[in-house]
Amino acid sequence: MVTRYLLTALMAFSQGDISAIWLTVKLASMVTLILLCIGTPIAWWLSQTRSWLKGPVAAVVALPLVLPPTVIGFYLLVVMGPHGPIGQFTQALGIGLLPFTFWGLVVGSVCYSLPFVVQPLYNAMSAIGSRPLEVAATLRAGPWQRFFTVVLPLCKSGFLTAAVLGFAHTVGEFGVVLMIGGNIPQETRLVSVQIYDHVEALNYTQAHWLSAAMLVFSFVVLLALYSLTATKSTVGARREPD
Amino acid sequence: MSQIEIELDLPLSSGFRLALSSQMPGQGFTGIFGPSGSGKTTLLRFIAGLQPCHSAILKVAGQYWQQGKQCLAVHKRPVGYVFQEASLFPHLSAQGNLDYAIKRAWPGKAPQVSDMIELLGIGHLLKQFPHQLSGGERQRIAIARALLINPSVLLMDEPLAALDEARKQDILPYLQALAGEIAIPVLYVTHSVSELSKLADEVVMLHKGRVKAQGTISEVGDALGFSDPQHPFSILPAQVSQTHPHWKLVSVQCHKARLWLADSALKPGTPVRLQVQARDVSLSLSAHQDSSILNIVPAVVDNMLNQEDGMLVRLHSDAGPLWAKISLRSAEHLQLHQGQRLHAQIKSMALTR
């Protein structure tokens, strides 16, 4: 049943659809990797600091949750454009301008999906508390060892959640993509934009196939995520009382 | 002999300041005793480096751990720390928790892992994960872990407080065995007098962030015995002089007096500590030769304290200082006054070590 659907779907996808899917997967994987690298130190700092900067930084990280994607896209266009600071920097480096390129999309998606990675990491890191780290310190573990031998293993499920959410949210973006990526085949035309194109062109069958694929993908991802967190809490409940 | 020198001034969450200038011995069990909020835990955390202090002096075995603002990081201090809750790493098995310490142990003559496992009786627990262990078992693993890092100072923060009475009795023998074997100083925070009298050689009494008394158990015995004015007691150091198996008794020499103790296992010459509760001491004007009470010692009234539920009498007896709690009626009947000579009858006493 499932294989038959997949086969029919694959046959139903046009060359353009396939390249949009491939581009989306490439973008989402790259963005997830970058976000785990950037998000981990941010989440760690937020969970440990007592500085007054914690509030402002947390608010900035969470901004994409509430702002319309068009606003983010607009500001990114401005700063990455020929007169913006990032634009001038990339021009000076000889890379050229980022808007309407794949790398522009990467930068935009990193900003847009940041809270979806930082939030689960921050929650997991705060939940550890200070005690395991104090124990590790009295057992001669320096700051890096404490992070790799205590924080990472204790936050495993937080990292998994963060990666899944970051990936899925990047796959699902549309507004930011349209603002800073445009609609260039093989460069910036992602699945969400491709669906938009199909609908514009009254290509409803094609739109159906791609939309259904997105629907199934999102459902499977969320199902996996929730069953994952559910198993974790039953393990916790098995703990014997003292 | 290595020694611990401390000088610090630190605000406590209870509103007091922990201000002390103290030296602690470089060997044996030192009990840090006081009511909650007196700064015991803060003191221990300061020594480990977990509690920052802007300006302080901490010198251990001739090496500065903190001098003014200069402060050695926690992971660079050769301490072993046992927290009130075992705080094992939940993602590692018991063996994994021990390995974490073994891998990072300080250089020097390290304790044998197998000896430690035997001493604490944890051999059968090593494959288990922390959530599969009971509170007492977890705490024994935590103690082994703290020792296997091969520390120069062992810090123990009420390691028994989170356990129920039965589990406490499980661990105490292990701690007593440890006290007999360990070559490094152990700072043991507790608010339990019985743990203190069983384990400690030296006692530092903290009260509202200050050192109220410091010395060996018999030196601070007075202050210690009066730490709860409602239930005062005396601690009398003594030595077994003779066994009397046919009576199932031993006689002990306690200061100038000879006392009888119901115990037949002790050998002559063994030093012991006796704990006598004030409510177990009664007074009489003459030495009753016709009494069934074994221990009657001559005493002089030193002081009297009127309490709500009776009269607390402080005595200088031939066995050492004693507290007696008697009814107000008896006090009136005996016409108690300072300097009065009488006889203290000790109805029962506990052997604490």
Side-chain angles (χ1 to χ4, degrees), chain A residues 56-96:
Chain A
V57 170
V60 168
V61 169
L63 270 182
L65 289 174
V66 291
L67 279 181
T70 43
V71 173
I72 302 168
F74 171 67
Y75 278 121
L76 282 172
L77 262 188
V78 172
V79 292
M80 296 195 300
H83 303 294
I86 296 181
Q88 293 195 333
F89 178 68
T90 50
Q91 277 174 311
L93 286 180
I95 305 171

Short mmCIF file of all heavy atoms in Angstrom, two decimals, chain A residues 56-96:
data_model
loop_
_atom_site.label_atom_id
_atom_site.label_comp_id
_atom_site.label_asym_id
_atom_site.label_seq_id
_atom_site.Cartn_x
_atom_site.Cartn_y
_atom_site.Cartn_z
N PRO A 56 17.20 39.90 27.25
CA PRO A 56 17.26 40.41 25.88
C PRO A 56 17.68 39.35 24.85
O PRO A 56 17.07 39.26 23.78
CB PRO A 56 18.32 41.52 25.97
CG PRO A 56 18.29 41.95 27.39
CD PRO A 56 17.92 40.75 28.20
N VAL A 57 18.70 38.54 25.19
CA VAL A 57 19.17 37.54 24.22
C VAL A 57 18.07 36.51 23.96
O VAL A 57 17.79 36.15 22.81
CB VAL A 57 20.46 36.86 24.71
CG1 VAL A 57 20.81 35.67 23.83
CG2 VAL A 57 21.61 37.85 24.71
N ALA A 58 17.42 36.06 25.04
CA ALA A 58 16.35 35.06 24.87
C ALA A 58 15.24 35.64 24.01
O ALA A 58 14.67 34.94 23.16
CB ALA A 58 15.81 34.64 26.23
N ALA A 59 14.93 36.93 24.20
CA ALA A 59 13.86 37.56 23.43
C ALA A 59 14.24 37.63 21.95
O ALA A 59 13.42 37.33 21.08
CB ALA A 59 13.57 38.95 23.97
N VAL A 60 15.49 38.00 21.66
CA VAL A 60 15.92 38.10 20.27
C VAL A 60 15.85 36.73 19.60
O VAL A 60 15.37 36.60 18.46
CB VAL A 60 17.36 38.66 20.18
CG1 VAL A 60 17.92 38.48 18.78
CG2 VAL A 60 17.37 40.13 20.56
N VAL A 61 16.29 35.69 20.32
CA VAL A 61 16.26 34.34 19.75
C VAL A 61 14.83 33.92 19.45
O VAL A 61 14.56 33.25 18.45
CB VAL A 61 16.93 33.34 20.73
CG1 VAL A 61 16.66 31.91 20.28
CG2 VAL A 61 18.42 33.59 20.80
N ALA A 62 13.88 34.35 20.31
CA ALA A 62 12.50 33.91 20.15
C ALA A 62 11.73 34.75 19.13
O ALA A 62 10.61 34.40 18.77
CB ALA A 62 11.79 33.95 21.50
N LEU A 63 12.30 35.88 18.68
CA LEU A 63 11.58 36.78 17.77
C LEU A 63 10.92 36.08 16.58
O LEU A 63 9.76 36.35 16.28
CB LEU A 63 12.53 37.88 17.26
CG LEU A 63 12.60 39.16 18.10
CD1 LEU A 63 13.53 40.16 17.44
CD2 LEU A 63 11.22 39.77 18.27
N PRO A 64 11.61 35.16 15.88
CA PRO A 64 10.99 34.54 14.71
C PRO A 64 9.71 33.78 15.04
O PRO A 64 8.92 33.50 14.15
CB PRO A 64 12.07 33.56 14.21
CG PRO A 64 13.34 34.11 14.73
CD PRO A 64 13.02 34.75 16.04
N LEU A 65 9.49 33.47 16.32
CA LEU A 65 8.25 32.78 16.69
C LEU A 65 7.04 33.67 16.47
O LEU A 65 5.96 33.19 16.17
CB LEU A 65 8.30 32.36 18.16
CG LEU A 65 9.23 31.23 18.56
CD1 LEU A 65 9.23 31.05 20.06
CD2 LEU A 65 8.79 29.94 17.89
N VAL A 66 7.21 34.98 16.67
CA VAL A 66 6.06 35.87 16.63
C VAL A 66 6.03 36.77 15.39
O VAL A 66 4.97 37.21 14.98
CB VAL A 66 5.97 36.74 17.90
CG1 VAL A 66 5.62 35.87 19.08
CG2 VAL A 66 7.26 37.48 18.16
N LEU A 67 7.20 37.06 14.82
CA LEU A 67 7.22 37.99 13.67
C LEU A 67 6.66 37.31 12.43
O LEU A 67 6.89 36.13 12.21
CB LEU A 67 8.66 38.41 13.39
CG LEU A 67 9.24 39.53 14.25
CD1 LEU A 67 10.67 39.81 13.80
CD2 LEU A 67 8.41 40.78 14.15
N PRO A 68 5.95 38.05 11.58
CA PRO A 68 5.58 37.48 10.28
C PRO A 68 6.85 37.20 9.48
O PRO A 68 7.79 38.01 9.52
CB PRO A 68 4.78 38.61 9.61
CG PRO A 68 4.50 39.61 10.67
CD PRO A 68 5.50 39.42 11.75
N PRO A 69 6.90 36.08 8.76
CA PRO A 69 8.10 35.74 7.99
C PRO A 69 8.49 36.86 7.03
O PRO A 69 9.67 37.04 6.75
CB PRO A 69 7.68 34.50 7.23
CG PRO A 69 6.56 33.92 7.99
CD PRO A 69 5.87 35.05 8.67
N THR A 70 7.50 37.61 6.56
CA THR A 70 7.82 38.68 5.62
C THR A 70 8.70 39.75 6.27
O THR A 70 9.56 40.33 5.62
CB THR A 70 6.52 39.35 5.13
OG1 THR A 70 5.64 39.51 6.23
CG2 THR A 70 5.87 38.51 4.06
N VAL A 71 8.48 39.99 7.56
CA VAL A 71 9.28 41.00 8.26
C VAL A 71 10.73 40.54 8.35
O VAL A 71 11.67 41.28 8.04
CB VAL A 71 8.71 41.27 9.67
CG1 VAL A 71 9.64 42.18 10.45
CG2 VAL A 71 7.33 41.88 9.57
N ILE A 72 10.91 39.27 8.74
CA ILE A 72 12.27 38.73 8.81
C ILE A 72 12.91 38.76 7.43
O ILE A 72 14.05 39.21 7.27
CB ILE A 72 12.23 37.27 9.32
CG1 ILE A 72 11.58 37.21 10.69
CG2 ILE A 72 13.64 36.68 9.39
CD1 ILE A 72 11.25 35.81 11.13
N GLY A 73 12.15 38.31 6.43
CA GLY A 73 12.67 38.30 5.08
C GLY A 73 13.06 39.70 4.61
O GLY A 73 14.13 39.90 4.03
N PHE A 74 12.23 40.68 4.95
CA PHE A 74 12.51 42.05 4.54
C PHE A 74 13.82 42.56 5.14
O PHE A 74 14.69 43.09 4.45
CB PHE A 74 11.33 42.94 4.94
CG PHE A 74 11.60 44.41 4.76
CD1 PHE A 74 11.75 44.95 3.48
CD2 PHE A 74 11.72 45.25 5.86
CE1 PHE A 74 12.01 46.30 3.31
CE2 PHE A 74 11.99 46.59 5.69
CZ PHE A 74 12.12 47.12 4.42
N TYR A 75 13.96 42.37 6.45
CA TYR A 75 15.19 42.87 7.11
C TYR A 75 16.42 42.13 6.61
O TYR A 75 17.48 42.71 6.44
CB TYR A 75 15.07 42.75 8.62
CG TYR A 75 14.30 43.91 9.22
CD1 TYR A 75 13.14 43.72 9.95
CD2 TYR A 75 14.73 45.23 9.02
CE1 TYR A 75 12.43 44.77 10.46
CE2 TYR A 75 14.01 46.29 9.53
CZ TYR A 75 12.87 46.05 10.25
OH TYR A 75 12.17 47.11 10.75
N LEU A 76 16.26 40.81 6.36
CA LEU A 76 17.40 40.06 5.84
C LEU A 76 17.80 40.58 4.46
O LEU A 76 18.99 40.72 4.16
CB LEU A 76 17.06 38.57 5.77
CG LEU A 76 17.12 37.83 7.10
CD1 LEU A 76 16.58 36.41 6.95
CD2 LEU A 76 18.54 37.79 7.65
N LEU A 77 16.78 40.90 3.65
CA LEU A 77 17.07 41.48 2.33
C LEU A 77 17.87 42.76 2.47
O LEU A 77 18.84 42.99 1.75
CB LEU A 77 15.75 41.81 1.62
CG LEU A 77 15.20 40.83 0.61
CD1 LEU A 77 14.01 41.45 -0.10
CD2 LEU A 77 16.26 40.44 -0.39
N VAL A 78 17.44 43.59 3.45
CA VAL A 78 18.10 44.87 3.64
C VAL A 78 19.56 44.69 4.08
O VAL A 78 20.47 45.26 3.47
CB VAL A 78 17.34 45.74 4.67
CG1 VAL A 78 18.14 46.99 5.01
CG2 VAL A 78 15.98 46.12 4.12
N VAL A 79 19.79 43.82 5.11
CA VAL A 79 21.18 43.71 5.60
C VAL A 79 22.06 42.93 4.64
O VAL A 79 23.28 43.15 4.59
CB VAL A 79 21.28 43.08 7.02
CG1 VAL A 79 20.69 43.97 8.06
CG2 VAL A 79 20.68 41.70 7.05
N MET A 80 21.47 42.01 3.87
CA MET A 80 22.30 41.24 2.95
C MET A 80 22.39 41.90 1.58
O MET A 80 23.15 41.45 0.71
CB MET A 80 21.76 39.80 2.80
CG MET A 80 21.81 39.00 4.08
SD MET A 80 21.59 37.22 3.88
CE MET A 80 20.00 37.11 3.14
N GLY A 81 21.60 42.97 1.37
CA GLY A 81 21.60 43.66 0.08
C GLY A 81 22.88 44.45 -0.14
O GLY A 81 23.73 44.53 0.74
N PRO A 82 23.02 45.06 -1.31
CA PRO A 82 24.27 45.74 -1.67
C PRO A 82 24.67 46.85 -0.71
O PRO A 82 25.86 47.15 -0.59
CB PRO A 82 23.98 46.29 -3.08
CG PRO A 82 22.53 46.06 -3.33
CD PRO A 82 22.03 45.06 -2.37
N HIS A 83 23.69 47.47 -0.01
CA HIS A 83 24.04 48.56 0.90
C HIS A 83 24.02 48.12 2.37
O HIS A 83 24.39 48.88 3.25
CB HIS A 83 23.10 49.74 0.70
CG HIS A 83 23.10 50.23 -0.72
ND1 HIS A 83 24.21 50.81 -1.29
CD2 HIS A 83 22.15 50.18 -1.68
CE1 HIS A 83 23.94 51.10 -2.55
NE2 HIS A 83 22.69 50.73 -2.83
N GLY A 84 23.58 46.90 2.62
CA GLY A 84 23.53 46.41 4.00
C GLY A 84 24.91 45.97 4.48
O GLY A 84 25.79 45.71 3.66
N PRO A 85 25.09 45.90 5.80
CA PRO A 85 26.41 45.55 6.35
C PRO A 85 26.88 44.16 5.90
O PRO A 85 28.03 43.98 5.51
CB PRO A 85 26.21 45.62 7.86
CG PRO A 85 24.74 45.63 8.08
CD PRO A 85 24.10 46.19 6.85
N ILE A 86 25.97 43.16 5.95
CA ILE A 86 26.39 41.82 5.53
C ILE A 86 26.67 41.79 4.04
O ILE A 86 27.64 41.17 3.58
CB ILE A 86 25.31 40.77 5.91
CG1 ILE A 86 25.16 40.71 7.44
CG2 ILE A 86 25.68 39.39 5.36
CD1 ILE A 86 24.15 39.70 7.92
N GLY A 87 25.84 42.50 3.28
CA GLY A 87 26.04 42.58 1.84
C GLY A 87 27.39 43.15 1.48
O GLY A 87 28.12 42.61 0.65
N GLN A 88 27.78 44.24 2.17
CA GLN A 88 29.08 44.86 1.87
C GLN A 88 30.22 43.92 2.28
O GLN A 88 31.23 43.84 1.59
CB GLN A 88 29.19 46.19 2.61
CG GLN A 88 28.19 47.19 2.04
CD GLN A 88 28.45 48.61 2.44
OE1 GLN A 88 29.03 48.86 3.49
NE2 GLN A 88 28.03 49.54 1.60
N PHE A 89 29.99 43.21 3.39
CA PHE A 89 31.01 42.27 3.87
C PHE A 89 31.20 41.14 2.84
O PHE A 89 32.33 40.83 2.46
CB PHE A 89 30.59 41.72 5.23
CG PHE A 89 31.53 40.72 5.81
CD1 PHE A 89 32.81 41.10 6.22
CD2 PHE A 89 31.15 39.39 5.95
CE1 PHE A 89 33.67 40.17 6.77
CE2 PHE A 89 32.02 38.47 6.49
CZ PHE A 89 33.28 38.85 6.90
N THR A 90 30.09 40.54 2.39
CA THR A 90 30.22 39.43 1.45
C THR A 90 30.80 39.91 0.12
O THR A 90 31.55 39.18 -0.53
CB THR A 90 28.85 38.75 1.20
OG1 THR A 90 27.89 39.74 0.87
CG2 THR A 90 28.41 37.96 2.40
N GLN A 91 30.47 41.15 -0.25
CA GLN A 91 31.05 41.68 -1.49
C GLN A 91 32.56 41.87 -1.35
O GLN A 91 33.33 41.54 -2.25
CB GLN A 91 30.39 43.02 -1.86
CG GLN A 91 29.07 42.83 -2.60
CD GLN A 91 28.35 44.14 -2.84
OE1 GLN A 91 28.20 44.93 -1.91
NE2 GLN A 91 27.95 44.37 -4.07
N ALA A 92 32.95 42.38 -0.16
CA ALA A 92 34.38 42.59 0.09
C ALA A 92 35.13 41.25 0.05
O ALA A 92 36.27 41.18 -0.38
CB ALA A 92 34.58 43.28 1.43
N LEU A 93 34.44 40.18 0.53
CA LEU A 93 35.08 38.86 0.51
C LEU A 93 35.12 38.28 -0.90
O LEU A 93 35.75 37.26 -1.13
CB LEU A 93 34.32 37.90 1.43
CG LEU A 93 34.50 38.08 2.93
CD1 LEU A 93 33.68 37.05 3.68
CD2 LEU A 93 35.96 37.96 3.31
N GLY A 94 34.39 38.91 -1.82
CA GLY A 94 34.37 38.41 -3.19
C GLY A 94 33.33 37.33 -3.42
O GLY A 94 33.35 36.63 -4.43
N ILE A 95 32.41 37.12 -2.43
CA ILE A 95 31.37 36.10 -2.60
C ILE A 95 30.21 36.65 -3.43
O ILE A 95 29.45 35.90 -4.01
CB ILE A 95 30.84 35.64 -1.23
CG1 ILE A 95 31.99 35.17 -0.35
CG2 ILE A 95 29.81 34.53 -1.37
CD1 ILE A 95 31.60 34.90 1.08
N GLY A 96 30.09 37.96 -3.44
CA GLY A 96 28.94 38.57 -4.10
C GLY A 96 27.81 38.76 -3.11
O GLY A 96 28.04 38.76 -1.89
#
